[in-house]
Amino acid sequence: MSALTGPEEESPATPDDHADPHADPHGDPFLRTRFAVPSLPATFLRRERLTRHLDRGLRTPLTMVNGSAGAGKTLLVADWVARRDGLPVAWLTTDAAGDGSGMFWAYLLRALHGAGVPLPGDIGFPADANRVSPALPARLAAELSVRERPVVVVLDEFDRVTSPEIAEQLGFVLHHAGPGLRLVLVTRTEPLLPLHRHRAAGELTEIRGAELAFTPHEAAELMELHGLSLPPAAVRTLVERTRGWAAGLRLSALAAGQSPDPEAYLKEFEADRSTIADFLLAEVLKRQDAATQDLLLRVSVLDRFSAGLADALTGRDDAEAILDRLSRGNAFVEHLGHGLYRLHPLFGEILRAHLRMRRPGRETELHRRAAEWLRRSGSLAEALGHGAAADDWEFTAGTLIDDLAIGQFFTGPRSDAVAGLFSRMGRDTTGPAPELVRAAERLARREVDGGLTHLRRARQELAEYDGTADAAAARLSCALLEALAARLAGAPDRAEDAARTAERLRDAVPAELLERHPELTALLLDHLGSARLWAGRFEEARDALTTVAESAPGAATALPREDSLGRLALIDHLTGWPGRAERKAHEALVETERFGLSRPSGSGVERLVLAAVAVERDELGQAQALLDTAAESHPAMRDPVREAGHALTTARLHLARGDPGAALKAVQPEVTADADSPWVRGQTALVAAAAHLAEGHPEAAAGLLGEVPDEEPACAVGAARVELAAGRAEAAVRLLDRVRPEGRAGPAVTVRAALVRAQAADAAGDGAAARGFVARALAEARRERLRRPFLEAGPWIRPYLGATSLHRLTTGWLAPGSGPPRRRPEPPPPVVEELSGRERDVLRRLARAMSTEEIAADLYVSVNTVKTHLKSVYRKLSVNRRNEAVRRARELDLL
């Protein structure tokens, strides 16, 4: 057997790690300036009428400071915060436009921690910048709701939050946190929160543009702070022209201060966009020396930058001193901390336009320089972004491959971003790295032939390399994609070859690359394990898949961990262990949810397994619901194992509902694969045979036995059932005696084996032996609630199930006199009231068989609180007991 040993990973995060995370979901350091209350300039004018209004806002849950850009919103609130005593204040500048919900909540949790607000570790921490688990807002709201004194949360530049999802989550927290939270939004636009409800309830304090506007008296004071003493008429004229706009007043004062006749200048100054742009270029850019102007124009292509990156763009070494001077002089360059800077967004936009006009073509060159510098510094995501902006796809693809990050096409928080970035790569880019990227793009969409075409071209290109480390990284990436292609094609031998190649290449790749990208090893082993599973080599498949499933959890490896757990569950199901299969499948379901990754994520095999277990338990409504949701899966995980599993489970559900024709139709389409799968061939033949038996055609069923590999216990028992139905009882018993499934398989197999022996004994007139075998089957089936074997056994079993001596074994789970398959039951009543976030938390733990006391301890609530939530859950789901609540929730896909 060939397998890979994954790199050692960090231990799972502790609660303290969640309370004080050191990096955002991208793995980058938190930008501390986003938590810092902005400092006030020397020319800041405190306006008491507005601060008093903010004081009154503490009586309401929500305060909104809404005005245009430059209206003085941020400095107003910063001044108010600086004078607040007693209440903790968490400040967050939401200044990264387009941030997803995961990044937003990661920063907000960090802001709360920085404000001294203790948060328990079970609140969680988002791993994906674009998504967050629904449990996080619910737990945060619950924690804030029990505070004795409120925490003030200021969200500056909230107009940049355009995601309805974030607004909905924030509104949920605000509503359920109660008096424990006072939210202050500083925004240019109306937020997506339901403001009309807050207004109607008297729960909103608003400071809008009209109130933010400077009065003539305030404008006169502001001019004096800038060293300008203007007559009242001139101030009134200026206020009229600027409409009291704070930035316009300050820009006017700054410009007037440089004029020999300030009063005359202010009469001519107009605060429209072009005038402000002209002012910024003339009074900020052009007043700098040539070296500073050159630096500003060059860094305008960057979102944020360090002095080192600025030097790389200028080719000089004076950026640190220039940037420090500009930031200290309030020249529209902001110091973010940690040696990082950014331009004022408006200034940056104007500079970029000026760069294109003055130096055509330079922007592409600057992006290329930035990409190369960022690549050397290890900033992969930013390097890829600038490489793409430079339209240098050979460099961009090479960076991805050399960093061994090809797995990011399939898993982790950056997968969508990486796929979107390279979707712009043209066909004219050549080389091994672009071909590998194209292969990954095709395979991620399950386009196997196209992926193999690009892999073949990549191998031809790599043949010219000389064995350098870069070539090793490319070859290892190629091996991963070859393993995926083999998995999708149902070619186990090719998957083994790819795994052996990867094992040989590991030593040639820098160890830190493998440590930085654990997803590569996890994906490779997942592909190998799935290919072995298709081949029917269950124990070898279990070895590879278990290595992935037992690896340290993380967002990067969540998808292969989920998929491996699902396939381990399938192996347990195929070998007759429904309880084990169910537990592993539930582990798989929560694997990507815990990191807030996108759906669909894995292959959905775990839902197929749960559906198959539900069929065995005769819970047909739940089985159908699980089958429906299993249709949603990641394209790169829809391999022959998944397709065959879906067809077989669907067919068995049709059989359970008494529709053999539909069952035959469900297994008729053959799954396309390069190699035969013995267990799929055998299981398909057995399902078809069962359908023929149900239609009264035992000989047609017996004719399919040649397709059944009877060395596997499950297949042997199925074949014995067909022999028995065809009237060959002795052959059926001989088959069971030869295979001896009782010592090799789980209860789902051994129960059916005992029932075959019982029916054979009954047919031979040995009622005592038949009763003994039925009793053995009931004892084993009861633990797993396996009703289906008795329902499909036929009329002969009814007298035994109704016997007084077996009453103890059937009571409470299997009604005496159970007979032929039932038709589809009536659908359960709908949920008339949505479960709350905390009720869902309790329900999830209920599904893990946790006691009331364990749930209370896990959620940091009292036992009585848990009982109250349970009563509410039972009422909403129209059930009376725990197991019914869990089953009902799964039928409704609430778990």
Side-chain angles (χ1 to χ4, degrees):
M1 183 188 76
S2 174
L4 296 180
T5 302
E8 184 178 350
E9 298 185 9
E10 294 181 1
S11 301
T14 65
D16 286 340
D17 294 329
H18 287 301
D20 186 16
H22 303 291
D24 68 25
H26 284 318
D28 297 326
F30 282 107
L31 301 178
R32 296 183 180 179
T33 50
R34 291 182 66 174
F35 310 121
V37 179
S39 58
L40 303 174
T43 56
F44 174 76
L45 177 67
R46 177 173 294 153
R47 297 188 280 170
E48 293 292 344
R49 63 182 177 87
L50 296 179
T51 56
R52 287 194 299 270
H53 198 162
L54 288 171
D55 287 337
R56 293 193 295 273
L58 289 176
R59 303 170 189 168
T60 62
L62 177 61
T63 296
M64 181 178 64
V65 183
N66 188 339
S68 61
K73 307 178 297 294
T74 297
L75 293 181
L76 165 66
V77 179
D79 178 53
W80 175 73
V81 164
R83 297 197 295 164
R84 294 301 311 165
D85 293 325
L87 292 181
V89 177
W91 184 287
L92 174 59
T93 301
T94 56
D95 62 351
D99 269 357
S101 59
M103 186 69 78
F104 173 86
W105 287 104
Y107 264 86
L108 183 52
L109 290 175
R110 187 64 185 84
L112 288 167
H113 180 271
V117 178
L119 297 175
D122 72 338
I123 283 180
F125 185 78
D128 186 345
N130 296 316
R131 299 170 187 88
V132 68
S133 169
L136 190 152
R139 292 172 180 169
L140 177 59
E143 183 65 22
L144 293 176
S145 67
V146 297
R147 288 184 58 84
E148 294 182 1
R149 305 188 67 191
V151 58
V152 178
V153 173
V154 178
L155 298 181
D156 191 20
E157 298 187 29
F158 192 71
D159 48 278
R160 294 177 176 268
V161 178
T162 58
S163 165
E165 179 187 11
I166 294 176
E168 182 179 357
Q169 293 163 347
L170 186 62
F172 175 92
V173 172
L174 179 63
H175 176 70
H176 291 283
L181 173 63
R182 291 294 180 260
L183 181 62
V184 180
L185 301 182
V186 184
T187 178
R188 297 181 187 178
T189 59
E190 287 274 315
L192 298 176
L193 298 175
L195 298 181
H196 62 284
R197 297 180 186 172
H198 291 285
R199 290 192 186 103
E203 296 176 346
L204 174 63
T205 298
E206 297 183 76
I207 299 178
R208 291 186 167 272
E211 191 173 1
L212 288 168
F214 276 64
T215 66
H217 176 71
E218 291 168 343
E221 290 186 290
L222 182 65
M223 294 299 112
E224 290 178 0
L225 287 173
H226 283 79
L228 300 174
S229 181
L230 300 175
V235 174
R236 286 194 299 272
T237 300
L238 180 59
V239 170
E240 288 175 1
R241 289 181 177 177
T242 62
R243 296 190 179 178
W245 181 43
L249 291 170
R250 291 190 176 95
L251 287 172
S252 300
L254 180 61
Q258 304 298 319
S259 172
D261 189 347
E263 186 174 347
Y265 179 87
L266 290 173
K267 289 179 181 179
E268 299 171 359
F269 183 81
E270 294 183 10
D272 58 62
R273 183 176 301 178
S274 62
T275 303
I276 294 174
D278 290 342
F279 170 77
L280 288 172
L281 290 174
E283 303 299 331
V284 179
L285 180 65
K286 293 182 180 179
R287 286 183 177 273
Q288 307 298 331
D289 57 55
T292 302
Q293 287 191 40
D294 180 66
L295 181 145
L296 287 171
L297 287 170
R298 290 172 182 266
V299 299
S300 68
V301 303
L302 306 170
D303 293 326
R304 56 180 182 169
F305 48 90
S306 64
L309 178 52
D311 282 337
L313 267 58
T314 62
R316 306 192 306 269
D317 59 1
D318 56 355
E320 185 171 2
I322 294 175
L323 292 171
D324 181 66
R325 172 172 57 82
L326 290 171
S327 65
R328 289 179 182 274
N330 295 315
F332 297 92
V333 175
E334 181 182 357
H335 185 214
L336 301 173
H338 304 284
L340 294 176
Y341 296 84
R342 70 175 176 189
L343 297 175
H344 183 283
L346 179 59
F347 191 35
E349 183 180 341
I350 293 168
L351 288 173
R352 285 190 293 277
H354 201 58
L355 173 69
R356 297 181 191 115
M357 179 182 67
R358 287 177 51 179
R359 302 174 186 177
R362 182 65 59 84
E363 190 172 2
T364 297
E365 175 195 342
L366 293 171
H367 279 299
R368 186 176 292 112
R369 287 193 192 181
E372 291 171 350
W373 188 91
L374 289 163
R375 178 182 182 178
R376 291 192 299 270
S377 69
S379 301
L380 176 65
E382 291 180 88
L384 294 178
H386 284 287
D391 207 27
D392 189 341
W393 294 106
E394 186 173 354
F395 166 89
T396 308
T399 298
L400 182 82
I401 298 302
D402 292 346
D403 199 75
L404 211 61
I406 192 67
Q408 291 187 1
F409 261 99
F410 309 99
T411 181
R414 297 184 189 272
S415 59
D416 290 343
V418 170
L421 182 74
F422 283 100
S423 65
R424 294 149 43 198
M425 184 171 69
R427 298 181 179 180
D428 55 342
T429 306
T430 60
E435 291 299 338
L436 287 172
V437 167
R438 293 187 181 102
E441 286 181 310
R442 292 295 187 90
L443 293 173
R445 299 193 298 267
R446 202 188 174 201
E447 297 176 8
V448 180
D449 291 341
L452 289 172
T453 298
H454 291 296
L455 275 176
R456 184 167 56 253
R457 293 174 185 169
R459 285 193 295 269
Q460 293 171 352
E461 298 272 1
L462 284 169
E464 302 177 6
Y465 276 58
D466 58 2
T468 62
D470 286 352
R475 290 191 175 97
L476 186 53
S477 300
C478 188
L480 169 66
L481 298 178
E482 287 171 341
L484 172 56
R487 167 194 182 151
L488 293 174
D493 292 342
R494 281 169 35 204
E496 296 285 356
D497 290 342
R500 284 190 288 269
T501 299
E503 187 67 37
R504 289 195 300 270
L505 289 168
R506 287 177 61 87
D507 292 338
V509 174
E512 62 94 14
L513 283 183
L514 290 170
E515 293 171 1
R516 192 159 71 227
H517 295 291
E519 71 275 3
L520 186 136
T521 300
L523 285 167
L524 185 57
L525 285 172
D526 184 41
H527 301 333
L528 178 62
S530 186
R532 289 173 174 174
L533 173 54
W534 175 254
R537 302 200 298 270
F538 291 166
E539 290 308 310
E540 294 177 49
R542 197 190 301 273
D543 288 343
L545 296 170
T546 299
T547 301
V548 182
E550 294 181 350
S551 63
T557 57
L559 184 143
R561 279 174 53 82
E562 174 190 357
D563 192 58
S564 293
L565 284 165
R567 287 162 199 273
L568 287 169
L570 179 59
I571 293 174
D572 284 336
H573 166 67
L574 292 173
T575 52
W577 298 95
R580 295 181 190 175
E582 184 181 40
R583 288 190 291 274
K584 286 190 177 71
H586 282 309
E587 286 184 56
L589 282 176
V590 302
E591 183 58 34
T592 49
E593 178 185 346
R594 66 193 292 198
F595 294 105
L597 298 185
S598 61
R599 288 285 183 182
S601 52
S603 62
V605 167
E606 63 274 13
R607 294 180 184 270
L608 294 177
V609 171
L610 290 173
V613 172
V615 170
E616 288 286 83
R617 293 173 178 168
D618 201 43
E619 297 167 349
L620 306 186
Q622 180 177 346
Q624 185 63 65
L626 288 162
L627 271 176
D628 292 342
T629 58
E632 301 175 3
S633 60
H634 193 295
M637 299 293 172
R638 295 177 194 160
D639 61 0
V641 170
R642 187 258 182 204
E643 299 303 303
H646 193 277
L648 288 167
T649 305
T650 301
R652 289 195 175 98
L653 179 58
H654 286 310
L655 282 175
R657 287 174 168 167
D659 192 347
L664 281 172
K665 186 176 181 180
V667 294
Q668 279 176 357
E670 293 187 2
V671 177
T672 303
D674 290 358
D676 176 62
S677 174
W679 67 266
V680 172
R681 183 182 72 247
Q683 294 286 346
T684 299
L686 289 174
V687 169
H692 287 307
L693 289 176
E695 291 180 330
H697 306 301
E699 292 305 321
L704 295 171
L705 291 181
E707 298 293 318
V708 180
D710 57 16
E711 65 276 4
E712 284 293 329
C715 290
V717 172
R721 291 182 63 233
V722 175
E723 293 278 21
L724 188 61
R728 296 189 286 269
E730 292 182 0
V733 173
R734 283 197 302 272
L735 183 56
L736 294 180
D737 289 341
R738 179 172 62 83
V739 177
R740 291 291 176 186
E742 291 81 3
R744 300 172 55 194
V749 175
T750 58
V751 165
R752 285 184 168 85
L755 291 178
V756 169
R757 293 184 185 276
Q759 187 176 358
D762 178 77
D766 190 349
R771 187 179 303 105
F773 285 123
V774 171
R776 181 192 305 174
L778 285 169
E780 291 192 50
R782 182 173 186 169
R783 290 191 296 270
E784 299 278 2
R785 306 194 311 280
L786 301 177
R787 303 179 184 88
R788 179 51 42 191
F790 302 94
L791 294 171
E792 66 190 16
W796 69 269
I797 200 172
R798 289 175 180 167
Y800 295 99
L801 294 179
T804 304
S805 59
L806 299 183
H807 180 72
R808 177 180 57 84
L809 295 174
T810 61
T811 300
W813 72 283
L814 183 69
S818 295
R822 306 183 300 211
R823 291 290 178 179
R824 183 174 182 176
E826 291 296 320
V831 175
V832 297
E833 186 177 348
E834 185 177 357
L835 297 180
S836 70
R838 184 44 61 98
E839 287 166 356
R840 285 174 178 262
D841 290 340
V842 171
L843 187 59
R844 291 188 190 100
R845 286 156 179 79
L846 209 63
R848 298 181 214 156
M850 294 173 68
S851 68
T852 303
E853 290 74 17
E854 289 172 336
I855 295 173
D858 198 42
L859 292 177
Y860 296 93
V861 298
S862 69
V863 171
N864 286 336
T865 299
V866 173
K867 290 179 179 178
T868 300
H869 287 313
L870 283 174
K871 290 179 181 178
S872 181
V873 169
Y874 293 167
R875 176 179 58 80
K876 292 179 180 180
L877 295 181
S878 302
V879 298
N880 297 312
R881 288 192 290 268
R882 288 177 167 234
N883 60 343
E884 293 175 352
V886 173
R887 182 166 60 252
R888 176 86 169 98
R890 286 175 182 154
E891 289 176 358
L892 297 168
D893 202 26
L894 297 176
L895 292 174

